[in-house]
Amino acid sequence: MKKKEFKSSSKRVLDLMINSIYTNREIFLRELLSNASDAIDKLYYQSLTDKNIAIEKDELRILIEVDKEKRTLSIIDNGCGMSEKDLEENLGTIAESGSLRFKEENDGQKDVDIIGQFGVGFYSAFMVAKKVEVLSRNYASEESYLWASDGADGYTIEKKAKEEVGTKITLYLKDDTEDDNFSEYLEEYTIRNLVSKYSDYLRYPIMMEVENSQLKDGSDSEYETVKEMATLNSMVPLWKKDKNKITEDEYNNFYTGKFMDYENPLKVIHTTMEGLTTYKALLFIPSHAPYDYYIKEYKKGLQLYTNGVLIMDKCEELLPDYYSFVKGIVDSDDLMLNISRETLQNDKHVKQIAKSLETKIHNELLDMLKNDFEKYKEFFKAFGNQIKFGVYNLYGMNKDKLKDLLIFYSSTKKDYITLDEYVNNMKKDQTAIYYACGETIDKIDLMPQTEQVKKKKYDVLYLTDYVDEFALQMLKEYNEKEFKNVSDESLDLDSKKDKEKLKKVNEENSELLTFIKDALDGEVEEVRLTNKLVNHPVCLTTQGAVSVEMQKVLNAMPTDEKINAKLILEINENHDILNKLKSLFNDDKETLKSYAKVIYSQAKLIEGLSLDNPTEISNIICELLSK
Ligand code: ADP
């Protein structure tokens, strides 16, 4: 028989499994049992629509068989089974799996992360077995096949008789070593523990032959050992259990196993709705964004069960986009088993469930924000952008629902605060909510434009994410307080007297300012003197709706159209540089042109804008230095 090679991608995952020192390798049993359960689900689901499939519901089960002599552990299901082609496709390759791409991108990472993060299903068997056999018969076929592999150098498939439809997976356990004990997986005690830890909720009985001692017939003191079949799992899905009887560990194990996360969830939402529509839901807010969360391929959705049958793995209708990070399960008996994607969209029960879940999630988040702010910050770090995007998206349709979930860094508190907190702490004479944008908190802190606002003891929100300003502009105001970018030229913080004084200096110097503007050749809308800078000589502000940060974001998008903010160059009226500029205006206009270019370049650099002509500027600076 010819040995076939694993696809190269699978081979690498296999290597990883075989040489794994993953301390959690016991999860292999959970993976195989959940595959078995899925296979039974598939067969059962098929039988609902296909009259040719006759199954006895009561006979659906998973068996665990142990042979201590041969050191084998078998998992046997009477589910849908696999054809020869299925064996080839499902077990011969790990299709372009996320785990592999991740592994390639993060080479050198410990295997712990990737196994835990993605769960490699069937292949995890190789963490404990030196050889694996899969004997399977597909429900639609008379033929059955044996797939066998002893690891990385390939696998074989041959015809082999099997009476019952379904799959038998046999693991030939690795030999024990000084550090590693694989024999424990042959012990009833270990198997019982693993089943109850990870697979208790599976809907089909997981059965195993166990030894019990009982009184001998006709005797009241002599015991004998009898063998009998025992069901190891309670079969009640976790979401149907009384929530007061569920431990945190149970929730965590369920979540990490089912949703392939290596970290426990940040929040568990276990809820029931009774009424016209009834459902039970078990939802989780992950503690970190999945590796693919912020890319297009990420699919939101909740698992949807009806009458105990999984009818959809990712029902997206149940979650709004801004809560797309939520994972979980919804179980409602009000839905039809053969509901299709199309009818689902218009189903009134589905709509009601979605609405009710949205309210639940919202309230839980608000609750976390109020009662466990540290945790909320963690949440916001992972998924805040999604909430902000929700505010901005669809022309702000959902902004009012979401605005209270927003938090931003506050310059006075030096921590995150809500908009509500900001407004409540506003100074008496303060009319707007001030914000500043930049790459990092530290960089914003140094921005000249924030000086004037801080001088007034007003709080400034520091925005470091590209969606921030778009979200705030969509909100326009919070509690009737307008949002204002500190870099906006119309900031208007001065007293009437100061304003008049400033107007006067600008008028007195208007020829100089016009000269500088002309020297900059249309780059700025205006050059003016300002009293708002304390230490800095110059800064840039903007006129109109587009700020410098927005210009950066918009121009980074892949379109040909470039958008430019309307820039204003402001010069500190109290800085010595002004005197120098004035004297050059009188004596040496050529040099003044060079100065104009240099101070404008400085202002751009402070804003994080790049120079269009760095060589020219560098030459000018050298020229000036050599004078
Ligand atoms: P996953 O379960 O995440 O798809 P696995 O590597 O565990 O990945 O399994 C690959 C595929 O092999 C499954 O999707 C399923 O189609 C098939 N499979 C695995 N175990 C069984 C089984 N016991 N019965 C039928 N099909 C199975």
Side-chain angles (χ1 to χ4, degrees):
M1 195 179 0
K2 196 167 168 287
K3 207 167 224 174
K4 299 188 185 184
E5 290 224 353
F6 286 104
K7 282 242 172 100
S8 64
S9 54
S10 311
K11 208 167 152 174
R12 267 171 287 151
V13 175
L14 259 171
D15 277 337
L16 195 67
M17 290 296 119
I18 293 164
N19 301 312
S20 169
I21 43 151
Y22 189 41
T23 45
N24 246 344
R25 65 181 176 215
E26 63 188 28
I27 55 132
F28 83 92
L29 189 62
R30 168 189 83 194
E31 298 292 319
L32 298 181
L33 289 172
S34 87
N35 279 352
S37 167
D38 289 348
I40 302 178
D41 269 346
K42 277 182 209 160
L43 183 65
Y44 182 61
Y45 188 57
Q46 284 287 331
S47 76
L48 295 171
T49 47
D50 186 344
K51 293 274 167 305
N52 295 322
I53 306 173
I55 52 164
E56 287 298 329
K57 211 178 161 197
D58 296 343
E59 285 172 11
L60 298 172
R61 49 89 190 107
I62 302 163
L63 293 178
I64 297 180
E65 261 178 27
V66 170
D67 186 329
K68 286 192 176 168
E69 304 263 290
K70 291 198 185 125
R71 290 174 56 77
T72 60
L73 176 68
S74 301
I75 290 99
I76 304 157
D77 68 69
N78 48 3
C80 61
M82 284 177 274
S83 64
E84 182 180 17
K85 188 162 161 265
D86 292 339
L87 284 169
E88 180 91 37
E89 281 173 5
N90 296 336
L91 309 184
T93 50
I94 299 180
E96 264 310 290
S97 73
S99 46
L100 199 71
R101 214 174 318 140
F102 183 84
K103 173 75 182 156
E104 272 160 7
E105 282 163 13
N106 298 276
D107 222 11
Q109 284 229 341
K110 274 200 260 126
D111 55 355
V112 177
D113 292 339
I114 119 154
I115 296 171
Q117 182 153 10
F118 302 100
V120 269
F122 171 75
Y123 285 80
S124 61
F126 286 97
M127 291 196 286
V128 299
K130 53 185 177 189
K131 178 179 173 185
V132 179
E133 283 180 354
V134 181
L135 178 60
S136 195
R137 178 170 154 191
N138 183 255
Y139 70 91
S141 164
E142 300 281 304
E143 289 173 347
S144 49
Y145 292 87
L146 178 72
W147 179 100
S149 168
D150 50 12
D153 47 294
Y155 61 93
T156 56
I157 297 181
E158 64 186 302
K159 246 183 158 159
K160 187 164 179 191
K162 181 175 191 308
E163 275 192 11
E164 189 191 56
V165 166
T167 305
K168 173 176 183 173
I169 296 182
T170 303
L171 312 184
Y172 292 80
L173 294 179
K174 291 184 184 176
D175 300 327
D176 292 338
T177 67
E178 231 166 78
D179 308 321
D180 270 329
N181 174 11
F182 296 96
S183 302
E184 61 172 331
Y185 300 119
L186 298 169
E187 299 302 331
E188 179 189 330
Y189 172 81
T190 315
I191 295 171
R192 270 187 187 275
N193 269 341
L194 292 182
V195 169
S196 83
K197 183 166 172 193
Y198 295 116
S199 312
D200 186 64
Y201 63 89
L202 289 186
R203 271 187 315 285
Y204 307 101
I206 300 167
M207 306 175 83
M208 187 168 79
E209 191 178 70
V210 297
E211 292 186 344
N212 274 334
S213 60
Q214 64 174 42
L215 280 175
K216 258 189 172 166
D217 256 1
S219 159
D220 55 8
S221 57
E222 265 188 277
Y223 284 85
E224 65 179 352
T225 310
V226 290
K227 292 188 172 175
E228 56 188 22
M229 290 305 276
T231 301
L232 309 184
N233 55 333
S234 77
M235 284 183 282
V236 182
L238 195 59
W239 58 92
K240 287 199 174 167
K241 284 191 184 166
D242 178 356
K243 78 178 176 188
N244 298 319
K245 296 200 175 115
I246 304 177
T247 63
E248 199 180 323
D249 265 359
E250 275 181 279
Y251 280 131
N252 289 345
N253 279 331
F254 178 84
Y255 167 78
T256 48
K258 186 133 191 131
F259 298 104
M260 300 185 174
D261 196 346
Y262 57 98
E263 268 181 53
N264 291 334
L266 205 57
K267 180 109 197 165
V268 180
I269 307 172
H270 190 174
T271 174
T272 303
M273 179 166 101
E274 313 274 351
L276 282 178
T277 303
T278 61
Y279 72 82
K280 286 189 195 314
L282 180 53
L283 310 184
F284 300 91
I285 298 175
S287 57
H288 62 121
Y291 77 105
D292 60 349
Y293 187 61
Y294 285 109
I295 60 174
K296 247 196 356 268
E297 284 76 14
Y298 180 83
K299 275 216 167 80
K300 64 168 183 172
L302 300 174
Q303 281 202 332
L304 184 59
Y305 285 81
T306 187
N307 296 300
V309 181
L310 175 67
I311 54 170
M312 203 165 288
D313 195 34
K314 284 202 170 147
C315 180
E316 41 183 315
E317 282 76 13
L318 292 172
L319 285 178
D321 276 344
Y322 38 86
Y323 295 149
S324 62
F325 47 82
V326 175
K327 306 262 181 198
I329 281 153
V330 175
D331 193 340
S332 169
D333 289 349
D334 297 329
L335 306 172
M336 282 182 308
L337 265 174
N338 56 356
I339 195 164
S340 70
R341 279 229 170 256
E342 290 71 47
T343 46
L344 203 77
Q345 277 170 3
N346 300 313
D347 188 279
K348 73 171 198 295
H349 294 298
V350 173
K351 281 190 181 149
Q352 257 163 16
I353 298 174
K355 205 167 146 225
S356 142
L357 288 179
E358 177 175 349
T359 312
K360 267 268 171 258
I361 298 169
H362 188 81
N363 291 341
E364 290 286 342
L365 288 174
L366 280 181
D367 180 70
M368 196 198 299
L369 190 155
K370 290 206 181 87
N371 300 316
D372 194 349
F373 193 58
E374 285 309 307
K375 204 174 195 182
Y376 190 80
K377 279 196 289 190
E378 226 181 293
F379 158 75
F380 206 76
K381 201 169 142 222
F383 302 112
N385 272 357
Q386 195 63 16
I387 305 283
K388 293 174 201 162
F389 187 68
V391 167
Y392 163 74
N393 208 14
L394 302 172
Y395 304 100
M397 200 168 94
N398 300 301
K399 62 182 182 181
D400 287 329
K401 275 193 260 184
L402 298 172
K403 63 185 178 194
D404 286 321
L405 293 176
L406 297 175
I407 54 171
F408 295 103
Y409 185 88
S410 138
S411 66
T412 47
K413 198 170 176 194
K414 309 228 175 308
D415 194 358
Y416 286 79
I417 61 168
T418 61
L419 295 175
D420 198 46
E421 203 176 337
Y422 183 101
V423 170
N424 286 336
N425 292 332
M426 272 168 65
K427 295 276 171 287
K428 273 215 181 69
D429 61 339
Q430 188 181 347
T431 53
I433 302 173
Y434 296 100
Y435 66 86
C437 307
E439 273 168 63
T440 62
I441 304 253
D442 290 344
K443 279 193 187 168
I444 301 176
D445 220 22
L446 297 171
M447 268 169 61
Q449 294 92 330
T450 58
E451 283 180 341
Q452 48 168 346
V453 188
K454 285 195 226 159
K455 208 166 68 185
K456 291 224 148 211
K457 301 247 180 324
Y458 295 166
D459 195 4
V460 183
L461 299 176
Y462 287 2
L463 313 188
T464 49
D465 279 315
Y466 75 96
V467 295
D468 288 344
E469 199 178 8
F470 292 89
L472 292 193
Q473 288 215 348
M474 189 53 84
L475 280 176
K476 288 201 187 76
E477 50 165 46
Y478 184 88
N479 275 5
E480 292 166 15
K481 306 291 182 216
E482 197 189 349
F483 289 103
K484 259 201 183 295
N485 190 331
V486 295
S487 299
D488 195 295
E489 50 112 26
S490 66
L491 208 50
D492 202 18
L493 288 175
D494 293 334
S495 68
K496 209 164 160 204
K497 208 172 110 214
D498 286 343
K499 262 189 235 169
E500 264 159 30
K501 198 175 138 230
L502 185 63
K503 194 167 161 216
K504 212 164 134 233
V505 247
N506 268 294
E507 278 164 6
E508 282 164 10
N509 290 288
S510 69
E511 281 177 37
L512 165 69
L513 298 172
T514 312
F515 183 89
I516 296 176
K517 183 188 166 196
D518 292 342
L520 296 177
D521 210 12
E523 294 257 340
V524 296
E525 296 289 311
E526 196 185 329
V527 179
R528 65 164 80 126
L529 298 176
T530 181
N531 58 7
K532 70 186 173 196
L533 296 175
V534 183
N535 297 315
H536 290 79
V538 287
C539 75
L540 283 178
T541 55
T542 53
Q543 213 170 43
V546 183
S547 72
V548 169
E549 281 311 304
M550 291 171 90
Q551 170 185 328
K552 284 187 218 161
V553 174
L554 293 169
N555 289 348
M557 291 181 182
T559 56
D560 287 340
E561 212 175 315
K562 293 293 168 217
I563 290 159
N564 285 321
K566 289 187 177 161
L567 299 177
I568 310 228
L569 176 64
E570 303 206 20
I571 302 170
N572 187 347
E573 60 153 347
N574 297 315
H575 199 282
D576 288 343
I577 190 71
L578 181 59
N579 295 329
K580 180 74 185 177
L581 295 174
K582 278 186 191 165
S583 80
L584 286 173
F585 186 61
N586 293 328
D587 310 337
D588 185 354
K589 292 217 167 55
E590 258 331 286
T591 308
L592 179 58
K593 278 187 193 167
S594 300
Y595 268 65
K597 287 181 180 166
V598 172
I599 57 173
Y600 173 60
S601 302
Q602 275 181 307
K604 275 179 96 173
L605 289 174
I606 295 173
E607 273 299 316
L609 290 170
S610 58
L611 304 180
D612 302 332
N613 47 353
T615 332
E616 185 197 344
I617 298 301
S618 158
N619 286 339
I620 293 176
I621 292 174
C622 253
E623 224 170 84
L624 293 176
L625 290 176
S626 336
K627 270 194 181 168

